[in-house]
């Protein structure tokens, strides 16, 4: 069990290895205290890093030497036998190799150089690959359910491909299980940071304590869409790979830290000016809520980069040159630039499309009748999607409130009575977790049930955000129609 004292040991270990939140070379019993401190932020990510003084935008706030980063390279340089074993499995991805290395080194226990850091890694994660059948179905939306199935299948396939290597390397038997692999791969997925010499990235002691903040301002896709529309309207054809390359360049520019070859260290910078006591946040780049759930195990209530997708007719995709992933509804309910452009072009008679294509790609309305037709179609389809989902957003909000009440329950004695009054989806939850016929005296929130409850809550929060965006889109369409009438 983690204690405050043991966490202080981690900070002392980090300081001894050169991790510091100060540019000065002063010695200290802790790697923090000059710019940052570990604090609890219950409503904003839990444990994170807070400012111990006023920090300026762009100021260096933490430096982690390369020698402390946990990478495949750092482990193999010290273990020739392990390096030879990995060479016998050339088809493994860089992420599989790093995940394997983590399990191997975890198996070394207190003999591992990184043992003080490993002790403080989370014991469980809520990424999509960990969702059970009940939690998966609780997402309700087809593409979210499919993403969950895909993530789980990927994890299981990668584990099977590495089993032989783990056996050859004498990894401890309990660390060869799929459960252990899922934990290790979730650790890499949610905590690894980019380094230029390894696609899998690195684990960065202390540096991975920063909580996430979405990039401010206009969504990344809008800027990319603008360049795409200029290219398309001028007669050029931008390939999907070219668009993704542009997105990747912009994404890297949005991060607040990176490996600096000049000082051979991972350096973190204040993304804005912070007052003393404020949480210092890190932007990993632009992610939708579903992507945050898939890779990191959380969502944001206000995420300017969130995207909601609805079923579109095949002709809408083929009429324009927009990539499918750019045809979405923003979290605030506004249709994306690309979606509006595609719908305007699709709603135009086929023999007229060539003549107005440049206007559609530039984001211009084609006519009042065309715009009203687009708004009516979009509003109708949002209504259809909402009506086909098993619960309304109001029902989901009541359910979420009840889940929070169960999580806050301190005395197990009242759990059975509370759950029996909720009914509905709670009955399925009880049945899934083997609690339907349990004795009231024995009914309690075990660790397994609590984790399932946490993931269920995330699923409900995600589907509320999805439905709210559709409701807001209907309002957007209604306002637009009213202004055109």
């Amino acid at each position: 069990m983690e204690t405050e004292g043991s966490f202080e040991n981690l900070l002392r270990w980090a300081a001894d290895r050169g991790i510091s939140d100060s540019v000065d070379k002063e010695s200290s019993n802790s790697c923090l205290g000059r710019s940052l401190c570990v604090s609890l932020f219950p409503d904003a990510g839990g444990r994170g890093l807070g400012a111990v003084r006023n920090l300026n935008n762009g100021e260096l706030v933490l430096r982690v030497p390369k020698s402390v980063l946990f990478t495949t390279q750092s482990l193999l340089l010290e273990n020739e036998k392990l390096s030879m074993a990995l060479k016998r499995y050339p088809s493994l991805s860089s992420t599989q190799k790093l995940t394997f290395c983590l399990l191997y080194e975890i198996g070394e226990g207190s003999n591992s150089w990184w043992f003080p850091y490993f002790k403080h890694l989370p014991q469980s994660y809520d990424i999509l690959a960990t969702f059970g059948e009940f939690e998966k179905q609780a997402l309700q939306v087809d593409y979210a359910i499919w993403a969950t199935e895909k993530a789980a299948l990927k994890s299981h396939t990668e584990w099977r491909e590495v089993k032989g290597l783990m056996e050859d390397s004498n990894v401890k038997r309990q660390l060869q299980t799929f459960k252990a692999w899922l934990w290790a791969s979730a650790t890499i997925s949610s905590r690894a940071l980019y380094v230029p010499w390894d696609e899998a990235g690195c684990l960065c002691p202390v540096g991975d304590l920063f909580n996430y903040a979405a990039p401010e301002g206009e969504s990344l896709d809008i800027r990319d869409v603008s360049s795409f529309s200029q290219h398309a309207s001028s007669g050029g054809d931008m390939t999907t790979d070219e668009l993704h390359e542009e997105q990747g360049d912009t994404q890297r520019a949005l991060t607040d830290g990176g490996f600096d070859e000049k000082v051979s260290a991972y350096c973190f910078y204040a993304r804005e000016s912070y007052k003393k006591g404020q949480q210092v946040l890190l932007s990993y780049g632009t992610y939708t809520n579903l992507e945050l759930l898939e890779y990191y195990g959380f969502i944001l209530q206000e995420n300017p980069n969130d995207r909601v997708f609805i079923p579109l007719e095949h002709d809408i995709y083929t009429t324009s040159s927009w990539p499918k992933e750019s045809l979405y509804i923003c979290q605030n309910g506004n249709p994306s630039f690309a979606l509006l452009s595609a719908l305007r072009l699709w709603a135009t008679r086929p023999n007229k499309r060539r003549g107005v294509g440049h206007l559609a790609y530039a984001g211009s309305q084609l006519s009042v009748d065309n715009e009203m037709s687009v708004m009516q179609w979009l509003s109708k389809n949002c209504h259809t999607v909402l009506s086909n989902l098993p619960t309304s957003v109001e029902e989901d909000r009541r359910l979420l409130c009840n889940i929070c009440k169960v999580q806050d329950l301190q005395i197990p004695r009242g759990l059975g009575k509370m759950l029996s009054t909720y009914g509905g989806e709670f009955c399925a939850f009880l049945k899934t977790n083997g609690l339907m016929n349990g004795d009231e005296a024995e009914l309690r929130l075990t660790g397994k049930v609590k984790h399932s409850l946490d993931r269920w809550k995330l699923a409900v929060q995600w589907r509320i955000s999805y439905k709210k965006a559709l409701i807001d889109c209907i309002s957007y369409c209604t306002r637009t129609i009213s202004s055109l009438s």
Side-chain angles (χ1 to χ4, degrees), residues 272-292:
E272 59 184 68
S273 296
Y274 292 97
K275 298 288 186 181
K276 180 179 178 180
Q278 284 186 310
Q279 181 173 195
V280 181
L281 298 166
L282 181 69
S283 170
Y284 317 146
T286 56
Y287 291 96
T288 67
N289 271 344
L290 190 61
E291 289 169 336
L292 287 175

Side-chain angles (χ1 to χ4, degrees), residues 81-135:
K81 182 180 178 181
L82 198 62
S83 178
M84 294 299 294
L86 266 173
K87 288 180 180 179
R88 294 195 293 271
Y89 294 85
S91 63
L92 297 180
S93 69
S94 58
T95 302
Q96 284 174 297
K97 293 175 183 178
L98 183 58
T99 306
F100 160 75
C101 286
L102 175 60
L103 285 172
Y104 180 89
E105 195 66 11
I106 289 284
E108 295 296 297
S110 59
N111 292 325
S112 171
W113 193 79
W114 286 276
F115 179 68
Y117 166 63
F118 291 155
K119 284 174 63 178
H120 297 276
L121 290 174
Q123 295 183 1
S124 65
Y125 296 91
D126 295 323
I127 64 172
L128 282 185
T130 68
F131 276 40
E133 184 65 22
F134 171 78
E135 297 118 35

Side-chain angles (χ1 to χ4, degrees), residues 27-40:
S27 61
S28 173
N29 288 331
S30 175
C31 64
L32 303 178
R34 278 80 65 182
S35 300
L36 306 168
C37 66
V38 179
S39 300
L40 288 177

Side-chain angles (χ1 to χ4, degrees), residues 225-226 228-234 316 319-322 327 336-349 352-367 370-371 374:
V225 158
S226 298
F228 182 94
S229 64
Q230 291 167 9
H231 196 82
S233 63
S234 65
I316 296 175
T319 299
S320 70
S321 303
W322 296 110
L327 308 179
S336 70
F337 183 103
L339 179 58
L340 267 182
S341 170
L343 289 176
R344 286 165 176 162
L345 204 54
W346 170 74
T348 302
R349 290 182 179 179
K352 301 288 187 181
R353 288 171 184 165
R354 187 175 182 84
V356 298
H358 66 289
L359 295 174
Y361 281 115
S364 301
Q365 291 186 17
L366 304 185
S367 69
N370 177 275
E371 195 72 7
V374 165

Side-chain angles (χ1 to χ4, degrees), residues 110-170:
S110 59
N111 292 325
S112 171
W113 193 79
W114 286 276
F115 179 68
Y117 166 63
F118 291 155
K119 284 174 63 178
H120 297 276
L121 290 174
Q123 295 183 1
S124 65
Y125 296 91
D126 295 323
I127 64 172
L128 282 185
T130 68
F131 276 40
E133 184 65 22
F134 171 78
E135 297 118 35
K136 179 186 73 176
Q137 295 300 329
L139 290 163
Q140 295 186 347
V141 181
D142 286 345
Y143 73 82
I145 293 173
W146 177 80
T148 307
E149 292 173 345
K150 182 181 176 183
L153 179 60
K154 181 174 181 288
S155 293
H156 205 271
T157 300
E158 290 179 340
W159 168 67
R160 288 202 310 268
E161 292 171 347
V162 180
K163 283 186 70 177
L165 173 60
M166 291 195 286
E167 292 171 359
D168 293 348
S169 305
N170 295 318

Side-chain angles (χ1 to χ4, degrees), residues 27-75:
S27 61
S28 173
N29 288 331
S30 175
C31 64
L32 303 178
R34 278 80 65 182
S35 300
L36 306 168
C37 66
V38 179
S39 300
L40 288 177
F41 301 91
D43 300 324
R47 185 171 65 190
L49 294 175
V52 298
R53 58 179 176 83
N54 293 342
L55 301 175
N56 296 320
N57 184 15
E59 182 179 353
L60 178 66
V61 293
L62 185 68
R63 184 168 55 194
V64 181
K66 181 179 181 180
S67 59
V68 194
L69 304 177
F70 183 83
T71 65
T72 302
Q73 181 189 86
S74 62
L75 186 59

Side-chain angles (χ1 to χ4, degrees), residues 393-424:
V393 70
E394 291 79 13
E395 291 171 326
D396 288 344
R397 283 170 175 159
R398 287 195 295 270
L399 175 61
L400 182 61
C401 181
N402 289 334
I403 292 175
C404 292
K405 287 179 182 178
V406 173
Q407 288 181 317
D408 294 338
L409 190 64
Q410 300 296 321
I411 305 174
R413 188 169 57 249
L415 180 60
K417 182 179 180 181
M418 175 182 287
L419 296 180
S420 65
T421 62
Y422 294 155

